């Protein structure tokens, strides 16, 4: 038997239909007791969560593992968590390939002017557009973690010059590494496209603002796929309207769903998608989480443990 017969798993995921998660977890952990959390649920050993209420942690004080069904833990870390619990984020689980698709699509759409061709086609216009020189078209990826590294490598496969910015220096073939505050301005000034894949922490909140975005090359393009609170929305709008920025593709917003009256919806230089660049894949995620629960129960090391002080 792989798990103790009394092991209890509780599931508390806002905005997520629970049934297939519960049956999937139960099938993968037949000896465990898997339940949907509701107020008063007896203490569990491990929790599978997304945006749970504070009451959940106030009651579930004996958790050993808190498994977030996403990569970003910014919302989770705002709560008071049980002191003994390890917080574990999803570690790729099928998200990095989706993120690479999304970002490469957005970059290539801008580089090859496919939006302009689509407009021309609507008007029956047959005309060539001149793409910029690839060598002058540097893409800067902020955050070179699980997702950012995959995105940077995928962009390299299209032979774009790629720079990356992270806290610590990285060695990724073909990608120039910049790190820390000291190298941030240089990184920005080299970027024709800026891709944000940072975690949301006190250090990174509002980091995409007038001062930083003004340092991008003239006519730069911004892709935000991390969190809405990284971006000062009015500053982006001003720089687009003044012409310093050419456009933006935004998947995440300060308020989600993006309110109907928000100017981003109708701005001609902004493409909006509904926080969909890398979706959580249920079956892959269950397999990963169950593998980690079993490893933890056996005292084995696992990847993806969040450092609450660092914030990611
Ligand atoms: P990781 O934790 O694996 O990577 C984070 C990267 O950011 C690391 O390279 C880290 O540097 C760097 N970093 C953190 N803080 C700073 C800082 N202050 N200055 C410079 N670099 C910093 O995260 P993931 O790649 O898995 O995910 C990134 C984010 O993407 C998530 O936090 C989430 O918000 C977002 N996301 C969005 C999705 C969507 O559908 N839109 C889906 C999934 C995730 P170092 O390596 O040196 O530690
Ligand atoms: C995540 C997300 O953090 O979906 O995984 O945004």
């Amino acid at each position: 038997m792989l798990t103790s017969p009394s092991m209890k798993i509780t599931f508390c995921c806002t905005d997520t239909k629970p049934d297939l998660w519960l049956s999937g977890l139960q099938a993968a952990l037949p000896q465990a007791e898997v339940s949907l959390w509701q107020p008063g649920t007896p203490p569990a050993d491990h929790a599978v969560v997304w945006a749970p209420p504070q009451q959940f942690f106030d009651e579930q004080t004996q958790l050993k593992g808190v498994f977030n069904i996403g990569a970003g833990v910014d919302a989770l870390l705002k709560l008071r968590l049980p002191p003994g619990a390890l917080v574990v984020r999803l570690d790729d689980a099928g998200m990095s390939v989706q993120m690479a698709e999304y970002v490469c699509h957005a970059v290539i759409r801008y580089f090859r002017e496919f939006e302009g061709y689509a407009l021309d086609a609507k008007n029956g216009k047959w005309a060539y557009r001149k793409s910029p020189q690839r060598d002058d078209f540097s893409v800067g990826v902020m955050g070179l973690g699980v997702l950012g590294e995959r995105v940077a490598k995928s962009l390299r496969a299209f032979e774009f010059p790629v720079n990356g910015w992270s806290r610590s220096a990285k060695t990724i073939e073909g990608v120039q590494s910049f790190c820390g505050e000291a190298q941030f301005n240089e990184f920005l000034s080299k970027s024709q496209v800026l891709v944000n894949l940072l975690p949301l922490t006190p250090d990174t909140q509002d980091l995409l603002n007038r001062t930083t975005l003004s340092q991008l090359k003239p006519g730069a393009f911004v892709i935000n796929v991390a969190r809405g609170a990284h971006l000062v929305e009015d500053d982006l709008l001003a720089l687009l309207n003044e012409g310093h920025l050419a456009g933006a593709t935004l998947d995440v917003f300060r308020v989600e769903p993006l309110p109907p009256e928000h100017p981003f919806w109708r701005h001609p230089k902004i493409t909006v998608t509904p926080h969909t660049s890398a979706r959580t894949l249920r079956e892959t995620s269950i397999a990963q989480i169950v593998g980690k629960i079993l490893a933890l129960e056996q005292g084995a090391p696992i990847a993806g443990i969040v450092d609450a002080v660092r914030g990611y």
Side-chain angles (χ1 to χ4, degrees):
M1 185 171 301
L2 286 170
T3 61
S4 102
S6 55
M7 184 167 75
K8 292 190 177 62
I9 314 283
T10 190
F11 179 88
C12 181
C13 295
T14 307
D15 294 336
T16 308
K17 287 192 185 130
D19 294 0
L20 293 174
W21 280 91
L22 290 168
S23 56
L25 286 163
Q26 189 66 77
L29 286 170
Q31 309 91 330
E33 217 179 277
V34 179
S35 68
L36 179 64
W37 179 81
Q38 43 204 346
T41 295
D45 301 290
H46 299 282
V48 177
V49 303
W50 181 255
Q54 180 60 53
Q55 185 185 0
F56 173 78
F57 289 119
D58 290 345
E59 291 188 10
Q60 291 292 324
T61 53
Q62 291 170 41
L63 292 170
K64 293 183 262 182
V66 175
F67 293 85
N68 190 49
I69 64 164
V73 289
D74 42 291
L76 199 53
L77 294 186
K78 287 192 185 124
L79 301 173
R80 279 186 315 279
L81 301 168
L86 288 179
V87 175
V88 186
R89 43 69 58 92
L90 276 186
D91 203 1
D92 193 337
M95 282 193 278
S96 74
V97 65
Q98 299 177 65
M99 200 53 102
E101 283 166 355
Y102 183 101
V103 172
C104 289
H105 174 268
V107 170
I108 291 167
R109 182 164 166 252
Y110 169 52
F111 178 65
R112 295 289 303 272
E113 296 197 39
F114 283 135
E115 202 169 318
Y117 282 117
L119 276 176
D120 289 349
K122 280 206 176 97
N123 296 318
K125 183 173 164 193
W126 179 281
Y128 296 109
R129 290 165 177 269
K130 196 168 176 296
S131 291
Q133 286 291 321
R134 192 179 303 263
D135 290 350
D136 295 336
F137 191 88
S138 289
V139 185
V141 181
M142 299 170 78
L144 289 174
V146 175
L147 303 181
E149 178 172 350
R150 176 73 181 253
V151 164
K153 286 178 172 167
S154 302
L155 289 163
R156 276 302 299 149
F158 290 103
E159 299 178 18
F160 293 114
V162 179
N163 301 312
W165 184 68
S166 43
R167 282 212 325 179
S168 52
K170 305 286 173 200
T171 308
I172 303 171
E173 202 184 333
V175 176
Q176 192 178 349
S177 164
F178 293 80
C179 64
E181 271 179 54
Q183 295 185 330
F184 190 39
N185 291 346
E186 190 188 352
F187 163 80
L188 290 171
S189 66
K190 287 180 183 297
S191 300
Q192 187 69 47
V193 179
L194 186 71
V195 179
N196 177 32
L197 269 166
L198 291 169
L200 181 63
T201 69
D203 289 339
T204 65
Q205 170 145 352
D206 299 329
L207 195 56
L208 302 181
N209 56 47
R210 177 177 268 282
T211 308
T212 54
L213 295 176
S214 296
Q215 293 180 62
L216 301 175
K217 287 188 181 179
F221 193 89
V222 173
I223 300 173
N224 188 17
V225 278
R227 286 290 182 265
H230 284 126
L231 174 69
V232 180
E233 296 183 340
D234 286 345
D235 290 358
L236 176 81
L237 285 168
L239 289 167
L240 287 168
N241 294 339
E242 289 162 18
H244 180 67
L245 297 177
T249 290
L250 306 174
D251 186 49
V252 287
F253 305 91
R254 287 191 175 250
V255 177
E256 294 181 5
L258 188 65
E261 67 283 3
H262 198 288
F264 284 175
W265 283 116
R266 280 165 292 280
H267 198 289
K269 295 181 177 170
I270 294 180
T271 299
V272 166
T273 53
H275 198 139
T276 193
S277 49
R279 306 288 296 271
T280 294
L281 303 180
R282 190 183 57 251
E283 286 173 16
T284 318
S285 304
I286 288 174
Q288 183 176 106
I289 290 168
V290 166
K292 289 182 180 181
I293 289 176
L294 295 175
L296 274 187
E297 287 290 316
Q298 287 158 20
I302 59 166
I305 296 176
V306 171
D307 177 339
V309 175
R310 210 175 57 157
Y312 64 100

